[in-house]
Amino acid sequence: MSAVVRDFFIDFQRCIGCQACAAACSECHTHRGLPMVHVDLVAPGVSLQTAPMVCMHCADPTCASVCPADAIKVDEHGIVHSSLKPRCISCGNCELACPFGVPIIKMEIQQMQKCDMCFDRTSAGKKPMCATVCPTGALFYGTREEIAQQRPASKPINRWRFGKQRIATRVHVMVPHDVDEMAVELPAFDEGGGPAALATALAAGARDGRAPEEAGPEAEFL
Amino acid sequence: MAHLRLPISDYIREYGPHVSDSPVTGWGPKPEPDRLVETHCCFCGMQCGVKLQVKSGRVIGIEPWEEFPFNEGRLCPKGVKRYMQTHHPDRLTDPLIREGAGFRKAGWDEALDLVASKARAIQAKRGKDAFAMLSGVSLSNEKSYLVGKFARLALGTANLDYNGRFCMVSAGAGNKKAFGIDRVANPWDDIPEAGVVLLAGTNVSECFPTLTHYIWKARDRGAKLIVVDPRETPIARTADHHVALRPGTDSALNQALLHELVANGWFDREFVEQRCTGWAELRASVERCTPEWAGEICGVPAALIREVAAAWGQAKTSFLLHARGVEQHTKGVENVLGLINLVLATGRIGRRGCGYGTITGQGNGQGGREHGHKCDQLPGNRDIENPEHRKHICDVWRISDAELPRKGKTTVEIVEAIHAGGIHGLLNICFNPMVSHPDTGFTREALERLEFFCVIDFFMSETARYADVVLPGSLHEEEEGTSTTAEARVVRIRAAVEPPGNARRDTWILLELARRLGKEEHFRFSSSEDIFNELRRASAGGTADYAGITYERVEREMGVFWPCPSEGHPGTPRLFEDGRSYHPDGKFKLLPTPYRPSAEVPDAEFPLYMTSGRSVFHYLSGTQTRRIKFLVEKSPGPICEMHPALATRLGLVDRQLVTVETRRGAITVPLRIVETIRPDTVFLPYHWPEELAANQLTVRALDPVSKMPEFKVAACRVRAATRGEADRARSLFAELKLEAS
Ligand code: SF4
Ligand code: SF4
Ligand code: SF4
C-alpha cells in the first residue's frame, strides 16, 4: 500500500437508520455474528434521526486508561483494539467509561470486543465493512482531500468535550463550518450518559433531551 | 379443492417461516472462500452489485463489489444478509403433493405429470383460458421471457399476468402515454447534476437505500430536495421542502404546481409548443387550480405549494423521481402524468442533469415487464393486440397468429375470475398474493375455489400452502441470467451454487412442463444464454430492444442500457437526447389530469386515512426476508404508525395493541406513536401474511387504465384491541420469531 492516509468520517445527518453498517459489521471475521457499530434513534417518537456510532479511536482512550488489566492497546496507526484476551478480566470498566458507548463485553468469551476499524481489511488496503456498504455516505472512509472536495458544505472535526473532559479522536465527524468542537453536556448518571447524551448532542437541533434507544425491535411490548 | 386443512401454525412448524441466524458454516471462524461470484442483490430494482463467497458448493457470505459502477460496494441490510437464504433450513427440497390434511413428498415425474394432466383436463373441459398463470418480476429476464412463451404456447392461455401489476404498471402506462416508451429517462448518474430533486411518493431511504447516495451527491453540490409524502420518511427528514399531503391528493398538488409554473412564466415555451402536443388544453385545465384550492384538498399550506413551485420552476436542471406512493391509486396513471407534465412544462428532459423516472421496486421490475409475462405485452415491450407486433413474435416463435393468444386478464381480474368461477386452474411462480394482493380475505376465498393449483417456489410461501402441487424451484443465485435494473441497465446474474436436494432450476421445471404439455418443439433451450439470445431476436425492433446486448458485453461493460439495437451500438443510458419522444410524431404528449377523489375516503364511520408501504428490512411479501434473523429482529411484524395528537384524541398509548378496521377487515398490531405522520393518517407496512396482512384492509379498487389496486388509500378507524384480539396478536407475533431448529 502507498502512504496515502485514509480516515474515517461520520456524517450523522445522512443516516437513514437502515442498519446496513451493523449487518455488514456482524459479518466480520473477528467478531462474527455480533455487530460492533451501534445505530441509535436520537429522539424516538419525535424524529427518525439515527446516529451510527463506531469506535472513535481516541488519541488518549478512556477505555484503556480505566482498564485495570492494561488489556487495551493502541497501535501505531492510532487504532484502539479489542482487549487482549489473556489480560482481559471482563470487569466492564471500559464499557461503562467509554463516552461513546463503544466497547461490548462478550461474556461467553470473557473478553471485551470493540470496533477496530476493520483492522484486517484496512491493513490490506480495503475499506472498513460499514463504510463500504453504508448506502448514504453517513460513514465514509477516504482521504481528507476526497471528503473536502465531495462535501463542501460541511467540514470534518475530531475534537470533543464531554462535560469537562476533552477528547481528540482518530475518527472525524462532519459538522457545519462554524462548529469547531462537539460539546456533550453530560446528564446526571442515572439518566444514562454515554451514547444517550451523545446521540442527543449529535442530532443538530435535537428537540429534547429524551434518551435515545437502540433502533431495534418494534414489538418489545410482547 | 385447496382449503387449508391444518391450522396455520402447523404449516409454519413444518415449512416456516423460521428465522435462521447463522451462515451455513456457523458463526465460528470463517473458512476461506474458493471463489467470489460477481452478481447482484436479488431484491429491489437497484440490483446492487455484490460478490457471493462460495466454498465447496455453498454460499458462505458476501463481499462488497466496489468495482460495480452503480453502487460501488454500497448495500442495504437486505443485500448484506440475503446470502443467508441460500441454505436456509426452510428451503423446499422435494416436490410436494397435497394428501390428506397436508402434503407428501413426491418424485418429479409424478408431480410434473400431475400438473400437466390437470391443466389438460381443465382446459379440455372449460377452455384454454380457464387455466391461468401468475408470475413475478423477481425472475430474471430469461425466466420472464420463458414464462411468457410458456403460458402462451405450452398452456395456450391468454390469462397470464404478474406481480408487477402491484408495482410499476401505473408508471408504465403513464410513460407510454406521454413518451411512447416505458423506461426511466436517465441514468442515475444524472441525479448528482440536478439543481433540484423532487421525490414524489417514494420512500427512497427505505425502499431504494443505495439511491440515497446519488441524492446526497446532488445536495453536496447545492441541489434542493423536495419530498412529497404523507410521512416524514428518513429522506424527507432532511429535505428542503416536505409536502406532507393527504393520501390520494397528489393530482391536486400536481395541478397547482403546474398552475404556478404557468402563472409565473416558469415554463419552456419553445419546448411545450414545438416538442409537445396538448399545451393549450393542459394550460387551460389548471387555470383555476390555485395553491389555495389544492392546499385545501391536500391539507397543506398554500404557501408551501408556492415555495415548491418556485424551487422547481426556477431551477436550471432537475430530476423528478416517483414510485408506488403516487402509483398505487385508482388514479395512479393520472398522478404519473401530472408529474410528467411538470417535467415537460420546464423542458428539462433528455439532457445531462435533466431527468425523470419511476423507481421500479422489484428486482427485475424493469426487465420483467418488457419480455412478455404481462397480460397485454409481448417481448420487446410489444403490444399483444397490435397485428405487426404479433407477426414479429409469431415469426420468432414459428407459429401462426391463431396460435398466439390475445390480451388476457390482469392479476386482480384473474383472482376475481377465479372467485366468480370463470377460471379453475392456476400455475403460480414467484408471486405471493396471500400477502401482496389487496383484500386478503377475498384472495383466500378465490384460492379455496380453485380446482387445481400449482406453485413453483423455493420456500413454502403463504400462497403455496393452498396449492395441490408445490414444485421446489431455484433462487437468484442458482441460475445464470440477466436482469434489468431500475435505470434500464441490463446486468448479469450468475449462478453461484446448485439448488439444494431435489429442487430444480425454474427453467428446467418450465421446460419439463412444456414437454409434458406436448410443446417441446418450442422449448428447446440448452442454456440461459440460449434463451437470452432468442429474447434478443424477439425484442429486436421493439421499444425495449435488446438485440445488441450479449452476455459477453454485459460482463465486459458491467451492464448495457437498452435500447441497444445492434452489437455495435453503445446502448442508451439517456433517452430523448434528440428532443424526440418514441411516439410516431416524435412529440411528447401533455395530458390534463383533473383531480378526483380516491375510491374510498374517510367518513363518519371510518374517519381516518390508512396508507401502506415498506420497511427497509423487508422485501415485498417477505417470503425471503422474514426468514433472516437480523432482518426479523429489526422488524419482526407490522406496526401501526400514528401521530401523537391522534393517539391522544383516541386515548391510545405507545406500544399498545390496537385494532385497525376498514370495511374489509381488521388487523391487531402494536401502535407506534410518531410525530412523523399526518394526524389524519395511519400507516401499516404490508410484508406479513394472513391475520397480520395489511392487505386485509386495502381496497380492491383498480386504476381504470393500469389496473393497479389502490393500496395507498383506505378509510379506517382505530381502537384499543380487545383482550381476545390482543391474545391472538401475541401468539401470532410469537410465531413470527420462530427459530429454525
Ligand atoms: S449504513 Fe449508513 S445510513 Fe445505514 S444506519 Fe448505518 S450509518 Fe446509517
Ligand atoms: S469499522 Fe469495522 S469493526 Fe468498526 S464498526 Fe465498522 S465494520 Fe464494525
Ligand atoms: S435491496 Fe436493493 S438497495 Fe438493498 S442491497 Fe438489494 S438491490 Fe441494493
Side-chain angles (χ1 to χ4, degrees):
Chain A
M1 260 308 278
S2 63
V4 180
V5 178
R6 293 203 282 176
D7 284 310
F8 199 113
F9 302 87
I10 308 179
D11 195 343
F12 294 103
Q13 63 167 340
R14 294 182 190 226
C15 181
I16 54 174
C18 73
Q19 307 255 11
C21 50
C25 184
S26 72
E27 294 295 317
C28 175
H29 286 255
T30 51
H31 47 83
R32 297 189 74 204
L34 182 69
M36 296 288 143
V37 49
H38 315 275
V39 181
D40 295 311
L41 258 178
V42 171
V46 178
S47 161
L48 296 179
Q49 170 80 62
T50 38
M53 192 42 70
V54 294
C55 174
M56 300 301 286
H57 299 286
C58 307
D60 183 12
T62 313
C63 58
S65 41
V66 300
C67 176
D70 196 19
I72 304 173
K73 296 294 174 197
V74 185
D75 71 15
E76 71 273 22
H77 306 286
I79 301 301
V80 184
H81 286 266
S82 291
S83 66
L84 296 167
K85 180 86 171 76
R87 291 194 181 188
C88 182
I89 54 171
S90 53
C91 66
N93 273 7
C94 52
E95 205 181 64
L96 288 169
C98 170
F100 301 101
V102 168
I104 298 172
I105 304 291
K106 217 172 165 186
M107 269 312 180
E108 315 90 87
I109 56 167
Q110 299 270 304
Q111 193 196 354
M112 177 277 274
Q113 291 199 317
K114 59 178 286 301
C115 160
D116 62 3
M117 217 195 270
C118 287
F119 185 70
D120 55 332
R121 300 177 73 85
T122 48
S123 58
K126 292 196 219 169
K127 296 191 223 168
M129 262 293 197
C130 57
T132 313
V133 301
C134 174
T136 64
L139 305 177
F140 179 84
Y141 186 77
T143 65
R144 291 172 150 274
E145 291 70 36
E146 283 168 334
I147 199 101
Q149 190 229 334
Q150 291 173 17
R151 304 187 193 180
S154 51
K155 71 169 184 192
I157 61 167
N158 69 338
R159 284 197 295 279
W160 297 74
R161 183 175 59 76
F162 287 85
K164 294 201 180 72
Q165 187 190 9
R166 288 207 140 78
I167 292 175
T169 59
R170 170 124 207 270
V171 171
H172 291 69
V173 295
M174 302 303 290
V175 294
H177 282 287
D178 57 356
V179 176
D180 290 312
E181 183 182 67
M182 294 291 284
V184 182
E185 302 309 338
L186 291 180
F189 185 73
D190 59 355
E191 284 172 30
L198 175 68
T200 305
L202 298 177
R207 284 170 245 194
D208 60 19
R210 261 192 276 169
E213 57 189 61
E214 188 76 13
E218 317 271 14
E220 278 163 29
F221 72 100
L222 288 164
Chain B
M1 282 300 179
H3 279 269
L4 295 195
R5 306 261 183 80
L6 300 171
I8 284 174
S9 51
D10 285 16
Y11 293 94
I12 296 177
R13 206 164 305 124
E14 183 77 21
Y15 305 105
H18 294 101
V19 293
S20 168
D21 174 34
S22 59
V24 64
T25 47
W27 283 122
K30 192 169 188 173
E32 224 10 74
D34 304 332
R35 58 197 176 101
L36 293 174
V37 178
E38 289 172 353
T39 185
H40 294 266
C41 174
C42 54
F43 298 134
C44 85
M46 297 298 107
Q47 291 288 285
C48 297
V50 66
K51 295 185 203 170
L52 295 178
Q53 300 174 321
V54 178
K55 167 85 181 169
S56 311
R58 296 189 300 181
V59 178
I60 60 165
I62 60 122
E63 178 63 31
W65 182 11
E66 292 185 60
E67 295 75 30
F68 188 73
F70 160 66
N71 61 310
E72 298 172 315
R74 284 179 284 272
L75 295 167
C76 84
K78 300 184 288 295
V80 174
K81 292 293 180 186
R82 70 71 87 92
Y83 78 91
M84 289 204 187
Q85 68 178 344
T86 320
H87 311 287
H88 196 288
D90 286 347
R91 281 296 298 275
L92 295 172
T93 54
D94 287 284
L96 298 172
I97 294 178
R98 173 173 299 277
E99 187 177 80
F103 294 100
R104 69 169 164 87
K105 289 184 180 177
W108 276 101
D109 281 330
E110 185 193 3
L112 291 167
D113 284 341
L114 182 59
V115 178
S117 68
K118 289 285 185 183
R120 280 175 190 257
I122 288 172
Q123 290 186 314
K125 189 156 140 215
R126 308 185 188 265
K128 288 281 187 194
D129 295 344
F131 198 94
M133 184 161 183
L134 290 176
S135 178
V137 279
S138 294
L139 298 175
S140 64
N141 286 322
E142 291 74 5
K143 294 191 212 176
S144 300
Y145 174 82
L146 188 63
V147 164
K149 189 173 180 184
F150 173 87
R152 270 109 187 195
L153 295 195
L155 288 172
T157 181
N159 291 324
L160 161 71
D161 206 43
Y162 77 139
N163 62 5
R165 190 62 64 190
F166 302 156
C167 187
M168 66 304 278
V169 283
S170 294
N175 275 251
K176 281 193 178 174
K177 278 178 189 279
F179 303 124
I181 188 170
D182 167 19
R183 206 208 92 171
V184 68
N186 303 59
W188 301 141
D189 254 345
D190 272 355
I191 296 174
E193 307 282 327
V196 54
V197 177
L198 198 164
L199 304 176
T202 175
N203 181 1
V204 170
S205 41
E206 293 205 70
C207 305
F208 315 104
T210 49
L211 197 59
T212 314
H213 175 71
Y214 285 74
I215 293 163
W216 272 106
K217 272 207 215 165
R219 304 188 76 193
D220 287 336
R221 298 180 188 192
K224 292 273 172 274
L225 176 64
I226 303 166
V227 177
V228 179
D229 198 309
R231 294 196 301 149
E232 189 189 284
T233 57
I235 194 84
R237 178 175 61 75
T238 59
D240 297 287
H241 309 279
H242 173 208
V243 186
L245 80 188
R246 262 184 204 117
T249 62
D250 302 84
S251 50
L253 174 70
N254 297 340
Q255 284 192 288
L257 290 174
L258 189 63
H259 172 98
E260 286 297 289
L261 298 187
V262 172
N264 293 286
W266 294 324
F267 61 94
D268 183 337
R269 184 175 302 277
E270 196 187 316
F271 189 87
V272 292
E273 287 175 356
Q274 308 296 313
R275 304 277 15 114
C276 304
T277 58
W279 175 243
E281 297 83 337
L282 179 66
R283 192 183 164 140
S285 75
V286 296
E287 209 175 312
R288 281 197 283 275
C289 301
T290 61
E292 282 69 23
W293 166 81
E296 195 68 29
I297 295 170
C298 303
V300 298
L304 176 61
I305 299 177
R306 287 206 162 80
E307 275 171 34
V308 169
W312 179 259
Q314 293 172 313
K316 297 271 174 296
T317 52
S318 58
F319 210 116
L320 190 150
L321 290 160
H322 58 77
R324 312 302 85 74
V326 299
E327 298 164 20
Q328 291 176 331
H329 293 271
T330 49
K331 312 165 274 183
V333 178
E334 288 154 48
N335 291 343
V336 168
L337 287 168
L339 292 167
I340 291 174
N341 289 340
L342 299 177
V343 173
L344 292 177
T346 55
R348 293 195 300 252
I349 194 151
R351 304 200 299 276
R352 183 148 180 77
C354 290
Y356 159 80
T358 184
I359 316 175
T360 286
Q362 301 196 68
N364 193 22
Q366 182 67 48
R369 72 184 186 260
E370 296 154 5
H371 300 301
H373 57 181
K374 193 165 174 234
C375 70
D376 55 354
Q377 259 179 33
L378 291 171
N381 219 331
R382 288 185 159 86
D383 176 359
I384 202 165
E385 293 296 327
N386 177 314
E388 280 168 43
H389 292 189
R390 292 175 66 84
K391 173 150 193 329
H392 177 85
I393 298 302
C394 287
D395 289 349
V396 174
W397 288 355
R398 302 215 183 100
I399 54 167
S400 69
D401 189 77
E403 288 172 90
L404 183 62
R406 306 199 77 93
K407 179 173 181 230
K409 294 184 194 304
T410 65
T411 298
V412 175
E413 293 166 331
I414 287 175
V415 172
E416 285 174 345
I418 295 169
H419 199 277
I423 289 176
H424 300 267
L426 182 65
L427 173 59
N428 175 77
I429 180 169
C430 191
F431 189 175
N432 191 6
M434 280 306 292
V435 175
S436 57
H437 210 275
D439 197 350
T440 316
F442 183 87
T443 309
R444 181 187 301 108
E445 283 170 21
L447 295 182
E448 286 170 352
R449 288 177 191 185
L450 279 167
E451 204 174 305
F452 180 75
F453 183 27
C454 172
V455 169
I456 305 173
D457 220 323
F458 35 75
F459 288 120
M460 179 69 82
S461 70
E462 286 77 13
T463 298
R465 293 172 188 162
Y466 292 82
D468 298 289
V469 177
V470 181
L471 302 175
S474 53
L475 283 166
H476 203 258
E477 54 268 40
E478 290 165 352
E479 198 158 358
E480 297 291 338
T482 60
S483 99
T484 305
T485 77
E487 60 176 343
R489 187 202 295 257
V490 181
V491 298
R492 194 67 173 80
I493 306 303
R494 284 186 177 79
V497 293
E498 298 279 326
N502 289 323
R504 292 283 186 274
R505 297 197 179 93
D506 294 338
T507 303
W508 180 89
I509 298 172
L510 290 170
L511 297 184
E512 275 298 312
L513 277 174
R515 188 165 70 81
R516 283 160 215 257
L517 289 164
K519 297 288 180 178
E520 192 179 9
E521 64 200 284
H522 298 297
F523 295 89
R524 293 191 210 278
F525 296 107
S526 60
S527 65
S528 299
E529 191 167 7
D530 216 12
I531 301 175
F532 187 74
N533 286 335
E534 185 177 295
L535 178 162
R536 290 169 58 203
R537 283 193 289 123
S539 74
T543 44
D545 194 332
Y546 281 45
I549 305 177
T550 61
Y551 273 23
E552 192 268 328
R553 272 192 74 180
V554 171
E555 286 165 24
R556 183 161 37 87
E557 299 171 31
M558 295 219 192
V560 179
F561 291 79
W562 69 263
C564 181
S566 64
E567 286 192 40
H569 190 283
T572 316
R574 191 182 297 116
L575 301 178
F576 316 130
E577 289 194 289
D578 57 359
R580 293 175 61 81
S581 79
Y582 282 72
H583 288 302
D585 64 358
K587 297 283 177 71
F588 297 94
K589 304 261 176 293
L590 295 165
L591 295 161
T593 57
Y595 169 74
R596 58 190 172 88
S598 304
E600 183 180 83
V601 288
D603 53 24
E605 216 184 330
F606 295 93
L608 301 169
Y609 287 93
M610 184 209 119
T611 191
S612 64
R614 280 171 60 176
S615 148
V616 68
F617 301 109
H618 292 289
Y619 176 61
L620 307 184
S621 78
T623 307
Q624 290 148 286
T625 51
R626 282 187 281 112
R627 290 181 151 89
I628 297 173
K629 189 172 180 188
F630 183 90
L631 304 173
V632 172
E633 279 193 335
K634 302 296 176 204
S635 174
I639 41 92
C640 172
E641 280 182 19
M642 180 183 281
H643 191 275
L646 177 58
T648 306
R649 189 150 65 72
L650 298 177
L652 301 170
V653 298
D654 199 31
R655 290 166 197 247
Q656 169 175 10
L657 282 166
V658 296
T659 299
V660 186
E661 295 172 294
T662 68
R663 291 191 168 79
R664 291 148 301 277
I667 182 175
T668 301
V669 293
L671 185 67
R672 180 161 69 195
I673 297 180
V674 281
E675 286 179 20
T676 52
I677 188 166
R678 290 179 59 88
D680 57 3
T681 304
V682 298
F683 170 82
L684 284 164
Y686 72 83
H687 309 286
W688 292 269
E690 299 279 358
E691 286 167 85
L692 291 176
N695 277 323
Q696 295 173 102
L697 309 184
T698 48
V699 199
R700 203 163 23 85
L702 307 181
D703 180 291
V705 176
S706 69
K707 308 289 176 166
M708 165 70 86
E710 189 143 75
F711 292 111
K712 289 290 185 258
V713 196
C716 77
R717 62 184 175 219
V718 186
R719 57 170 172 78
T722 63
R723 179 167 295 270
E725 287 167 342
D727 287 346
R728 179 77 191 131
R730 285 195 185 91
S731 78
L732 289 169
F733 268 79
E735 275 174 0
L736 291 176
K737 289 187 275 186
L738 278 187
E739 300 269 340
S741 52

